[in-house]
Amino acid sequence: MLKKIVTCAWILLVVPALSCLGQTKSVVLEEVIARVNNEVITRSDLARARSQLQSEAQQDCPKCTAKEIDEKVASEDKNVLRDLIDNSLLVQRAKDMAVNVETEVVKRLDDIRVQNNIPSMEELEQQIDKSGVSFEDFKSNIRNQLLQQEVIRHEVGSKLILDHAQVQKYYDEHKQEFVRPEQVIVREIFVSTEGKQETEIPALRKKADDLLQRVKNGEDFGELAKHFSDGSTAKQGGDLGRFQHGQLAPNIEQMVFALQRNQTTDVIPTKTGFDILQVQEHYAAGQQPEDKVENEITDKLYNDQLRPALRDYLETLREDSYVSVKPGYTDSAAVPSSTIDEVPPTPDSDDKKKKKQPALPRSAGSKNGE
């Protein structure tokens, strides 16, 4: 593993060469802030990730004040570069494993096309390009996300073993957690009409009706929510949370408390769009039986194991890789092998200059005999 590099190697991505090496003056393209094997992370990559973090914080908490949003972003900002490095390592690992997600990429793009009522993939490509993001970059981002997910599933998730005894043990040790008033866990698919023309409303209603029919035909509600919901809960599969009597609007409460597990409301027109609600679980009042909360416990135990297991796996990838970060930037998950000691370029001494190899013969290295 290389431990030293000259300072000028960090400065810039340039064309055609690095000026600090005394070569022809170059045009600056981008500042490199981290190297992950043969890949680089630039300052623009970091800026985009921070901007996305800000947007996600606002989307996840639409009622938060600007100060609260800033506090949420600040608490996560220290890990932005770490996450970019993690993502790069996972994508590179997927390529080493020859993972192919092209079919899923096409499906995801088509889902986006349908969600936005775009008639063709060609039109989708044009609209993305017009938004200021190249279609190829947009497609590459989707591909990389899918590659990361596949590596995590195969390399980490598949090795987590949960048996019924663990679920039983958790239930027996935390029975008080499962003494509850009558409750429902609700998720939504929301089709927004905000900012739309009156002529567009019928098509949006049809979109909601079609999504409801897909749920009735057996498609997974959470997956449809992730890909088609306009609500802030889309990334979480539409999860709105757990509710008791008195915590919902009276008309909504009446509808959802009349439903059993996995039953769904009709399309509900609202002032800002069309809502579809599903009761993911309905708990009667009192001590919940184990079979009623088994899936809930399993998910909790799995996620509790997945987070540290993924961190350990990423640490292993770092140890087996060349990861270096420019001074002034911090990888919050750096391992010792990632430490790079920079030294400035050392000018050749007169003695060394004398020992350099002679110039090429004129016949090979000169032009017109000069």
Side-chain angles (χ1 to χ4, degrees), residues 347-356:
D348 289 335
S349 66
D350 290 339
D351 290 341
K352 288 182 178 179
K353 289 178 180 177
K354 292 176 182 178
K355 293 178 181 179
K356 285 186 176 179

Side-chain angles (χ1 to χ4, degrees), residues 111-128:
D111 286 346
I112 294 170
R113 179 190 66 78
V114 173
Q115 179 182 2
N116 291 277
N117 298 310
I118 298 173
S120 67
M121 291 296 289
E122 290 76 14
E123 179 70 17
L124 173 65
E125 183 173 346
Q126 291 172 12
Q127 292 198 25
I128 290 172

Side-chain angles (χ1 to χ4, degrees), residues 198-217:
E198 193 65 32
T199 54
E200 298 177 86
I201 303 302
L204 294 170
R205 173 61 194 244
K206 184 179 186 305
K207 174 183 173 181
D209 288 336
D210 290 345
L211 287 168
L212 176 59
Q213 189 58 50
R214 290 175 69 172
V215 173
K216 290 180 176 179
N217 289 343

Side-chain angles (χ1 to χ4, degrees), residues 53 70-79:
L53 181 63
D70 289 343
E71 289 173 352
K72 289 178 181 291
V73 171
S75 68
E76 296 293 333
D77 186 72
K78 65 182 183 295
N79 292 325

